[in-house]
Amino acid sequence: MASVLRAAILRYIRLPFAQTLTLNGSKLSLCSTVRSMSSHGDDHLDKKEVKERVLDVIKSFPKVDPSKVTPDVHFQKDLGLDSLDNVEIVMALEEEFKLEIPDKEADKIDSCTLAIEYIYNHPMAG
């Protein structure tokens, strides 16, 4: 149900994704066609800033106790969130960083670590 709702909302803003990042056994795709227009130069966020902003988004989520949020926290195991909460967090991250995360990749982002790595490596994060 959550992925259907997410797909309906994000249906019209798709980007082609081809490059894959593997972190802790989870594969995340990155947009290689856009990467050629962007690099990890001055226009890209540094990892520390990404980490701080991701943690701020998670801490501000209504069902989360901010004192439990760390860079290594798992959304379901450590914070007790369900799959719909996970979708809402990913959507909040998309809004914060002005990017679109495909459903297939969003379903794999279930921890701060994966969110930070995905966003840091996304060429369009801003």
Side-chain angles (χ1 to χ4, degrees):
M1 167 90 173
S3 63
V4 172
L5 174 62
R6 180 177 164 66
I9 293 169
L10 301 174
R11 180 178 319 162
Y12 299 104
I13 52 175
R14 290 278 175 229
L15 294 173
F17 282 79
Q19 189 175 5
T20 302
L21 166 72
T22 303
L23 179 68
N24 295 334
S26 295
K27 290 185 178 182
L28 302 171
S29 294
L30 302 174
C31 183
S32 62
T33 58
V34 179
R35 174 155 317 271
S36 64
M37 299 184 310
S38 177
S39 67
H40 284 288
D42 295 336
D43 62 337
H44 196 278
L45 300 172
D46 71 15
K47 197 161 191 173
K48 182 179 177 184
E49 180 182 355
V50 170
K51 181 170 118 179
E52 289 171 2
R53 288 172 62 188
V54 166
L55 294 177
D56 287 343
V57 168
I58 307 304
K59 287 177 182 179
S60 67
F61 193 71
K63 295 181 181 179
V64 169
D65 176 358
S67 67
K68 293 183 178 181
V69 177
T70 67
D72 301 317
V73 75
H74 188 276
F75 300 151
Q76 291 177 337
K77 294 175 187 172
D78 301 323
L79 300 177
L81 301 176
D82 61 27
S83 59
L84 184 56
D85 296 328
N86 202 68
V87 169
E88 290 178 25
I89 284 176
V90 171
M91 290 177 75
L93 291 169
E94 288 174 322
E95 186 175 324
E96 171 69 22
F97 290 94
K98 312 280 188 268
L99 55 87
E100 191 270 327
I101 302 171
D103 292 342
K104 193 173 185 178
E105 306 311 317
D107 291 342
K108 297 173 186 173
I109 297 174
D110 60 1
S111 67
C112 283
T113 303
L114 289 175
I116 291 164
E117 286 302 315
Y118 184 88
I119 293 166
Y120 176 69
N121 287 295
H122 196 288
M124 300 299 289

